[in-house]
Amino acid sequence: MRMTRVVGWFGLAVHLAVGFWYAASGLVVPGWALAGLLVMWAVLLVAGVRLLRRRPALVLLAPLSAVLIWLAVVSAGDAWLGWTA
């Protein structure tokens, strides 16, 4: 039980680190897309905190989801909307 708590806290720490990518995305994406990304990151943070209380091992899904969403949005914006740095 104790190790799952450590994994949960590690997942939250990784999610906070992923938040740096989201904030730095303002150099590439327009403001409306950045706002949407930051809202999505915050929703995943809330989900991670709630999971920490109930199922700590699943907290790792929050940063994984955040990375996949970020990659999808930035890649799609580059390919279809011409977002560049």
Side-chain angles (χ1 to χ4, degrees):
M1 180 79 162
R2 184 114 171 116
M3 188 59 173
T4 58
R5 281 269 193 229
V6 172
V7 169
W9 282 107
F10 175 73
L12 281 182
V14 172
H15 189 70
L16 291 175
V18 170
F20 175 76
W21 287 2
Y22 275 67
S25 297
L27 299 172
V28 178
V29 303
W32 61 268
L34 180 61
L37 282 170
L38 290 175
V39 166
M40 181 57 64
W41 181 85
V43 167
L44 288 169
L45 177 63
V46 170
V49 169
R50 293 185 77 199
L51 281 171
L52 185 62
R53 295 180 186 161
R54 295 190 178 117
R55 296 180 181 252
L58 294 180
V59 175
L60 289 174
L61 293 177
L64 177 63
S65 299
V67 168
L68 294 176
I69 290 168
W70 183 85
L71 283 172
V73 169
V74 172
S75 297
D78 179 38
W80 296 323
L81 301 174
W83 298 346
T84 58

